[in-house]
Amino acid sequence: MFDIGVNLTSTQFASDRPKVVKRAREAGVTGMLITGTNALESQQAQKLAEDQPGFCWSTAGVHPHHASEWSTEIASTLRRLAEKPEVVAIGECGLDFNRNLSAHEQQEYAFEAQLALAAELNMPVFLHCREAHARFAAIVAPWLPKLPGAVIHCFTGTRDELEACLALGLSIGITGWVCDERRGLELREMLPLIPADKLLLETDSPYLLPRDMRPRPTSRRNEPCFLPHIVQQVATWRGESSEALAACVDNNARTLFRLV
Ligand SMILES: [Zn+2]
């Protein structure tokens, strides 16, 4: 089972990062993609991945929250990082009209610039979309034929939005959000609609601790070692065995990010 969304550069992991990776391995996680959310963290993510060859890879990108920082210097940093063997996708990039930490125009500009960079470098993209589906779909659609792959991570949209994303050819990343007994119900019902070859799983740790873990972890910090719980729950709601799902999402991640 492969965790495609680990924010391992987070300060929440500062005191025990190697142990977090070790616990994940021991829990049966077979690989992880470390998320880069701005230039500095993308550099840190690449370094962390370099330390765990064959187990960790990373993305290089600028999250919509950081879109106001976008510059030609940052574009060059990402381009340089993308040459490293551990860096397997551009992102996370996209639109977030929920928190609006950068202006919409800045978000759209940085998003489109990263799609262009990914197309130029022939790399897959790791996408973020929150309450911005219409603009997100309009911006990403013309780029998809020029990209080797794309995943919308932490999908939390509506059924119509899921169908639109699948029609565009996007892979769908599902987090422990789906385990939330209130907010996750609609998404839970949609899980069987995702074709097996388009499904990816992720913890998005240290965020989004699954709310239905028993016994409850003592800390609210999420970790990649909790991925087996998400696998088990998603398998149940899809009517599959967790072994088959674990193998399936591992294979999908390796195919999408070209790790095989
Ligand atoms: Zn995100």
Side-chain angles (χ1 to χ4, degrees):
M1 65 185 83
F2 200 105
D3 190 343
I4 67 151
V6 182
N7 297 282
L8 197 61
T9 60
S10 167
T11 53
Q12 291 193 50
F13 290 130
S15 65
D16 62 347
R17 222 166 253 128
K19 285 186 191 153
V20 169
V21 176
K22 185 162 177 276
R23 273 196 291 274
R25 282 183 190 262
E26 287 167 358
V29 175
T30 46
M32 60 171 80
L33 187 61
I34 305 170
T35 316
T37 53
N38 61 25
L40 178 63
E41 290 196 21
S42 296
Q43 286 170 307
Q44 292 169 342
Q46 183 269 328
K47 289 272 176 237
L48 290 169
E50 203 173 51
D51 290 343
Q52 303 282 342
F55 187 69
C56 293
W57 291 266
S58 71
T59 71
V62 174
H63 189 284
H65 291 344
H66 294 280
S68 58
E69 299 164 18
W70 184 260
S71 65
T72 50
E73 289 75 25
I74 284 179
S76 325
T77 302
L78 299 185
R79 189 179 271 109
R80 259 198 320 277
L81 272 175
E83 288 171 10
K84 306 270 186 182
E86 302 78 26
V87 178
V88 294
I90 296 296
E92 97 175 74
C93 59
L95 302 177
D96 193 312
F97 293 174
N98 175 256
R99 294 186 62 195
N100 292 313
L101 297 189
S102 291
H104 288 195
E105 302 73 43
Q106 291 170 321
Q107 291 190 33
E108 295 191 5
Y109 187 82
F111 183 24
E112 184 121 39
Q114 289 174 88
L115 291 166
L117 181 63
E120 176 199 323
L121 301 175
N122 189 35
M123 289 177 77
V125 285
F126 185 89
L127 303 170
H128 172 106
C129 175
R130 191 100 193 267
E131 293 178 22
H133 174 79
R135 285 302 296 149
F136 172 87
I139 291 170
V140 81
W143 289 101
L144 291 173
K146 304 181 185 106
L147 297 170
V151 56
I152 177 166
H153 106 102
C154 193
F155 180 85
T156 56
T158 64
R159 183 176 174 143
D160 285 350
E161 290 168 2
L162 176 66
E163 284 170 354
C165 287
L166 289 170
L168 284 171
L170 297 177
S171 293
I172 311 290
I174 298 290
T175 63
W177 170 286
V178 74
C179 299
D180 187 304
E181 70 280 10
R182 294 184 300 264
R183 296 189 303 177
L185 283 181
E186 190 188 357
L187 184 57
R188 204 174 290 180
E189 284 164 12
M190 290 183 241
L191 288 174
L193 302 176
I194 305 171
D197 65 341
K198 291 294 182 189
L199 178 62
L200 295 152
L201 295 179
E202 47 177 328
T203 55
D204 206 24
S205 51
Y207 317 114
L208 299 179
L209 178 72
R211 286 173 52 90
D212 59 351
M213 292 181 67
R214 299 293 179 273
R216 278 177 205 264
T218 46
S219 159
R220 289 185 56 194
R221 184 182 76 168
N222 196 7
E223 283 197 27
C225 69
F226 298 146
L227 187 68
H229 175 78
I230 299 173
V231 169
Q232 193 183 6
Q233 296 296 66
V234 170
T236 303
W237 295 320
R238 280 172 64 86
E240 297 169 352
S241 80
S242 36
E243 293 75 19
L245 181 61
C248 173
V249 295
D250 182 83
N251 184 54
N252 289 348
R254 288 174 197 278
T255 303
L256 178 61
F257 301 115
R258 302 177 296 182
L259 310 180
V260 280

